[in-house]
Amino acid sequence: MTSLRKSSGPEPSDPTSSGAEPSDPTSSGPEPSDSKASGPASSGPEASAPKAAPRAVGGRGGPVRKAFSSPLASVFVIAMTVLWTIPTLGLLVTSLRPKQDVTTSGWWSALLHPDFGLGNYHSVLFEGGSGASTGLMPFLVNSLAISVPATVFPLVLAAMAAYALAWVRFRGSDAVFFTVFALQVVPLQMALIPLLRLFSSGAHLGALTLIPAVDLKGSYAPVWLAHTMFAMPLAVFLLHNFIAQLPRDLMEAAVVDGASHFKIFRSIVLPLSAPALASFAIFQFLWVWNDLLVALTFAGGTPEVAPMTVRLAQLSGSLGGRWELLTAGAFLSIIVPLIVFFSLQRYFVRGLLAGSVKG
């Protein structure tokens, strides 16, 4: 533990011991460098006290802050928000219109002559068609069964790894951290085939079997493992930067009280790291939920394990029809991510601002 030193100033001693000549009692102090500063206003405690620096109203951040807080900037942000929302509104309106209206007129005409219903949602959820014998509901369940574990697994593993690399010092910890950081530059597409071969045939070194082959066909396990491996480098890097900024005094006090690393991780690190964990959980869930490439590679297109993105690619049909079903399915696919985002929004904002203000 570091000791704090009191800075109470030099002790009173003989004036000659400090190497400075004793001042003349009749002297009124050092002469002012500016002739205008002489006079009654320059004497007294006010003259010796340092003047406070003027507030930088017109500094470098002043004009920028003023520009972003102006009414014109607010109008611009509102206009951009409305423009960004218009496609989502059109998707919702189209999903509620009957097929004949969708094929003959634009969605904006429904605002003048509304004819809405939930028939498209019933068809896309529970009825077959467009090359599939079942509706979207089994694929929706598959997406949840894939996305939730594929978000929890890398989150738990990365949080433990980040704590170990940040607070448990061991030989080679920095090399491990930089290696994990460097793995982020490996493209996902380059690792698909080697990882698929690893699952199907294992890893061999001559006649020696390093990793045996595992038969994971027809299950969610390959997709979980693939998403966990691809998410670990970024997760460890982000969580390490957050956990490393936790107060050292708090960690040292827990060690003095006899807490183990697991106790510190569970009782101190996890509660304080909730904003960072929630921020990464949002990104990982959105990535897995909207993924099609990894799901097709490791799960195939069978209805038993295929996610909703596989079914959405089939909804338009071979001739590009059934737009009313495609829009209904697309809107269903964005409801769950919106629920996740708005439920964790306060943690997400705190996670983004973490580390920007100290104290």
Side-chain angles (χ1 to χ4, degrees):
M1 299 290 290
T2 58
S3 60
L4 300 178
R5 297 185 302 175
K6 295 183 180 180
S7 58
S8 57
E11 296 181 358
S13 58
D14 187 22
T16 60
S17 61
S18 60
E21 297 181 359
S23 59
D24 188 4
T26 60
S27 172
S28 58
E31 296 182 359
S33 57
D34 190 2
S35 59
K36 295 181 180 179
S38 61
S42 62
S43 62
E46 294 81 358
S48 60
K51 294 183 179 180
R55 183 175 299 178
V57 178
R60 289 183 297 177
V64 177
R65 187 182 300 110
K66 184 177 180 180
F68 278 105
S69 60
S70 63
L72 183 61
S74 301
V75 172
F76 177 76
V77 170
I78 294 174
M80 292 298 297
T81 304
V82 172
L83 290 176
W84 191 268
T85 310
I86 286 177
T88 306
L89 177 63
L91 187 70
L92 175 62
V93 172
T94 305
S95 66
L96 297 173
R97 302 179 69 197
K99 179 179 180 180
Q100 58 273 14
D101 293 345
V102 173
T103 56
T104 57
S105 60
W107 65 268
W108 50 87
S109 60
L111 302 178
L112 300 178
H113 306 285
D115 184 12
F116 300 140
L118 298 177
N120 296 331
Y121 288 93
H122 183 273
S123 300
V124 78
L125 282 174
F126 305 106
E127 297 180 4
S130 298
S133 59
T134 58
L136 193 63
M137 182 58 70
F139 297 89
L140 180 61
V141 175
N142 291 339
S143 291
L144 290 174
I146 292 174
S147 301
V148 174
T151 302
V152 175
F153 291 160
L155 198 63
V156 174
L157 296 176
M160 293 188 292
Y163 169 75
L165 293 174
W167 293 100
V168 182
R169 304 305 301 173
F170 57 91
R171 180 174 297 180
S173 60
D174 293 336
V176 172
F177 174 72
F178 286 116
T179 302
V180 172
F181 175 75
L183 288 176
Q184 299 182 61
V185 303
V186 178
L188 181 149
Q189 293 80 3
M190 290 182 59
L192 290 179
I193 301 303
L195 191 58
L196 186 61
R197 291 174 59 91
L198 178 65
F199 290 158
S200 60
S201 59
H204 305 276
L205 182 60
L208 179 62
T209 301
L210 301 178
I211 301 177
V214 289
D215 187 12
L216 301 176
K217 295 180 180 179
S219 64
Y220 301 118
V223 190
W224 294 342
L225 291 174
H227 281 299
T228 301
M229 293 178 182
F230 294 144
M232 282 295 293
L234 179 61
V236 172
F237 174 70
L238 293 179
L239 296 179
H240 173 273
N241 293 342
F242 187 92
I243 294 175
Q245 295 180 0
L246 296 179
R248 179 175 293 274
D249 294 341
L250 187 62
M251 300 295 183
E252 293 177 350
V255 173
V256 170
D257 291 339
S260 61
H261 283 297
F262 181 77
K263 180 70 174 180
I264 296 174
F265 175 76
R266 182 175 57 88
S267 303
I268 298 177
V269 175
L270 285 183
L272 293 179
S273 303
L277 295 174
S279 300
F280 176 77
I282 292 175
F283 285 119
Q284 177 67 6
F285 184 86
L286 294 180
W287 159 249
V288 178
W289 182 269
N290 296 322
D291 171 71
L292 176 62
L293 178 61
V294 176
L296 280 177
T297 304
F298 295 97
T302 58
E304 290 78 13
V305 293
M308 187 169 53
T309 52
V310 176
R311 181 70 178 104
L312 288 177
Q314 304 170 354
L315 280 178
S316 60
S318 58
L319 300 179
R322 308 303 298 270
W323 289 105
E324 74 282 357
L325 298 182
L326 182 61
T327 54
F331 195 79
L332 284 173
S333 67
I334 68 175
I335 289 178
V336 176
L338 286 178
I339 293 175
V340 172
F341 178 78
F342 285 114
S343 61
L344 300 176
Q345 183 182 13
R346 58 193 183 104
Y347 297 105
F348 179 70
V349 175
R350 289 168 55 191
L352 290 180
L353 297 178
S356 60
V357 179
K358 294 184 179 180

